Amino acid sequence: LEIIVTILNENDNSPVFAQPNLTRHVPEDTKVDTAIVAREELSASDADLDTIYYELTTTVQDTDGYFAIRGVNNPEIYLQKALDYDKFNSTTLLLYARDRPVTSPDPTNTATATITIIIKQSDTRAPWFLPCTQLHNDSSVCISSPYSGRINISEMSMDPLLLEPGPIYAVDPDYTISDRIMYSIVGGNRDEVFSVDADTGNLTMNKIVASPDSFLLQVMATQVSNIRKYSVATVEIKVINKSNFPPYFEKGVYNGTVFVGLPRRSFVYQAGDPSTPLVIMAMDQDFPDV
């Protein structure tokens, strides 16, 4: 008697990842569709020789949609959306391997791999002149105001010029890189009247200006390690007559009279003379004819 015995394969083994925990450092400027983790590193094996079905999820809020797998049977992880270091600098992905499709009613065995993604900030932005204002609470864009200052006619200042809203100063907004900034004047410096310190940004005079005038300087801030990353700020310098005297009031005390029941913006009149509006005058000896 010949007896043939056929052994049926029972689904009694779970898929297994060779590396259940992985870490990848990803530059911020990585191009979309770039492979982050190769298929060979993420493929799971199954002793039952079942087809493996993969699913990728993220555990960190607001980081969904940046990374994806190539297909349900291809676990290669690639970059699906451009990264922004200011939005997040790390996330954790969970890759599920199942020996049945997600929609299958049959009992399913599952394995999980954890992939930690660490975003490395890249040198993507030009220097910012400070102070600056962020647009619409977007930390990736910061708009600075022009600088302004004054010098006196025929007077040589030996100290750095005082400017508004502050001294010339720029920073590398890619703060984990924080490249050193170099300054130079690239326009508006007629007769080379001014110089800027390449390291500090301090603006100084090379010579006097003998007549009322104004200068509209263009100051460039450049990253030392990447001269293609630069910004230009405007610095307006007005040449004025020197002021030797402070203003003063004609009187030390002014007395006035108001009447009950008058509407807003009514005149205040001189005390003792209700027909003459009260006028407060200031004088300046630098301008005797004004």
Side-chain angles (χ1 to χ4, degrees):
L1 177 64
E2 180 180 338
I3 301 175
I4 299 175
V5 178
T6 301
I7 300 175
L8 301 178
N9 189 15
E10 182 74 16
N11 185 21
D12 55 355
N13 292 286
S14 296
V16 176
F17 283 104
Q19 300 183 71
N21 293 283
L22 287 171
T23 299
R24 286 292 182 273
H25 293 79
V26 183
E28 176 188 13
D29 58 353
T30 299
K31 293 183 179 180
V32 171
D33 203 45
T34 299
I36 305 301
V37 186
R39 177 177 185 172
E40 293 74 21
E41 296 182 82
L42 293 173
S43 294
S45 59
D46 189 338
D48 298 318
L49 303 180
D50 292 321
T51 300
I52 305 299
Y53 300 87
Y54 298 93
E55 180 187 6
L56 185 69
T57 64
T58 180
T59 64
V60 180
Q61 187 177 3
D62 299 327
T63 64
D64 191 33
Y66 285 90
F67 300 92
I69 56 176
R70 295 292 184 186
V72 68
N73 300 122
N74 183 353
E76 179 181 274
I77 297 176
Y78 70 98
L79 182 64
Q80 185 173 245
K81 187 166 65 173
L83 298 170
D84 186 343
Y85 186 86
D86 291 322
K87 292 182 178 179
F88 70 97
N89 52 39
S90 67
T91 187
T92 300
L93 308 176
L94 296 180
L95 180 65
Y96 297 98
R98 300 183 176 92
D99 56 11
R100 294 291 185 272
V102 175
T103 57
S104 174
D106 299 330
T108 303
N109 297 311
T110 305
T112 305
T114 302
I115 301 96
T116 301
I117 302 292
I118 299 174
I119 312 300
K120 295 176 60 179
Q121 191 172 40
S122 300
D123 191 8
T124 59
R125 293 176 291 189
W128 287 351
F129 281 97
L130 300 182
C132 65
T133 303
Q134 294 181 357
L135 291 182
H136 313 299
N137 296 322
D138 185 352
S139 60
S140 63
V141 179
C142 203
I143 304 300
S144 60
S145 301
Y147 296 94
S148 62
R150 297 181 296 178
I151 60 173
N152 296 322
I153 293 176
S154 301
E155 184 172 300
M156 183 72 175
S157 175
M158 305 306 296
D159 297 321
L161 301 183
L162 297 178
L163 303 175
E164 293 292 341
I168 298 172
Y169 181 62
V171 297
D172 181 359
D174 299 313
Y175 51 88
T176 63
I177 299 173
S178 192
D179 197 2
R180 189 165 65 88
I181 305 298
M182 181 173 59
Y183 304 90
S184 61
I185 299 176
V186 295
N189 193 15
R190 301 190 307 275
D191 300 325
E192 302 297 322
V193 173
F194 302 98
S195 293
V196 66
D197 188 286
D199 295 317
T200 66
N202 286 335
L203 189 66
T204 55
M205 295 181 66
N206 296 325
K207 59 182 72 172
I208 64 173
V209 181
S211 60
D213 202 347
S214 64
F215 293 80
L216 201 61
L217 306 177
Q218 303 294 319
V219 177
M220 182 169 68
T222 308
Q223 292 181 204
V224 172
S225 64
N226 187 355
I227 61 174
R228 294 183 179 181
K229 290 290 189 298
Y230 68 88
S231 296
V232 176
T234 300
V235 183
E236 183 181 16
I237 302 296
K238 294 182 178 180
V239 185
I240 62 173
N241 289 310
K242 184 177 182 180
S243 179
N244 295 310
F245 303 97
Y248 64 93
F249 289 102
E250 290 181 312
K251 298 179 181 179
V253 177
Y254 290 84
N255 296 307
T257 299
V258 294
F259 298 97
V260 175
L262 289 177
R264 295 176 59 187
R265 304 183 67 85
S266 296
F267 284 119
V268 175
Y269 293 92
Q270 293 184 17
D273 187 359
S275 64
T276 303
L278 178 65
V279 179
I280 299 175
M281 294 288 292
M283 308 291 290
D284 192 331
Q285 291 180 344
D286 291 308
F287 305 97
D289 299 328
V290 177

